[in-house]
Amino acid sequence: DELTVEQAAEVIGVSGSRVRQLIRATELTPSRRVGGAYLIRRHEVERFAALPPSDPRGRPRKQQSAARASSE
């Protein structure tokens, strides 16, 4: 199962541009590119989301709504 950058951003609780920054910084590994767009394996996104924040000074991740979390 692969996710787009925007889908991965929603799972992690960050913006799409932040996901692209994480890919460029090699903190998140895409599985492939299709037409210039990154696709990321769901288990890779979930692995990253489970990590503690690396910089405690940064803005906290968005909280997922209960309805959104239960639909996944």
Side-chain angles (χ1 to χ4, degrees):
D1 192 17
E2 294 177 314
L3 304 175
T4 64
V5 166
E6 293 305 321
Q7 290 169 326
E10 190 169 315
V11 171
I12 297 169
V14 297
S15 68
S17 61
R18 178 65 179 139
V19 170
R20 286 184 284 279
Q21 287 175 343
L22 293 167
I23 290 170
R24 285 191 300 272
T26 67
E27 294 182 48
L28 194 58
T29 306
S31 57
R32 60 190 174 126
R33 285 186 83 161
V34 176
Y38 291 109
L39 293 177
I40 309 151
R41 289 190 178 95
R42 180 177 290 278
H43 73 269
E44 171 71 6
V45 173
E46 291 170 348
R47 176 201 62 81
F48 183 84
L51 294 174
S54 59
D55 185 354
R57 295 173 298 167
R59 188 166 54 185
R61 293 179 179 166
K62 295 184 287 188
Q63 295 295 316
Q64 247 186 346
S65 71
R68 190 180 324 145
S70 66
S71 69
E72 295 178 6

